[in-house]
Amino acid sequence: FGTCLEAELHEGRGVIAKVLIQKGTLKVGDAIVCGAAYGRVKAMFDTLRPNVRYDEVGPSTPINLTGLNEAPAAGEHLY
């Protein structure tokens, strides 16, 4: 469970959503739904150091994730 802080569409990379994880653990390959957007987590990156990649993140971790089919609105809940 988390919240989308912002999201945008990048050429070549697809949708990149900045998400704050609040409860539970998110792993690469997990199925996710965020508002009307859905998909699987393809990759997760540190928000301040974009070259640092995560395989798994826990609560209170802000990340940039890829894999959604469209950009969700800010404030949408991630499940």
Side-chain angles (χ1 to χ4, degrees):
F1 176 72
T3 303
C4 177
L5 303 175
E6 65 180 352
E8 56 192 6
L9 181 62
H10 280 264
E11 285 187 34
R13 293 183 69 187
V15 175
I16 297 182
K18 187 175 288 186
V19 176
L20 180 64
I21 304 302
Q22 295 169 318
K23 292 182 184 175
T25 302
L26 187 64
K27 300 175 186 160
V28 171
D30 284 351
I32 53 174
V33 175
C34 189
Y38 61 90
R40 288 195 180 272
V41 178
K42 289 184 183 176
M44 297 183 288
F45 300 95
D46 191 296
T47 56
L48 299 176
R49 298 171 300 187
N51 58 342
V52 176
R53 199 169 175 157
Y54 296 120
D55 291 327
E56 182 177 309
V57 293
S60 71
T61 307
I63 56 163
N64 289 329
L65 69 81
T66 62
L68 290 170
N69 67 328
E70 63 182 58
E76 293 284 355
H77 292 290
L78 175 84
Y79 300 99

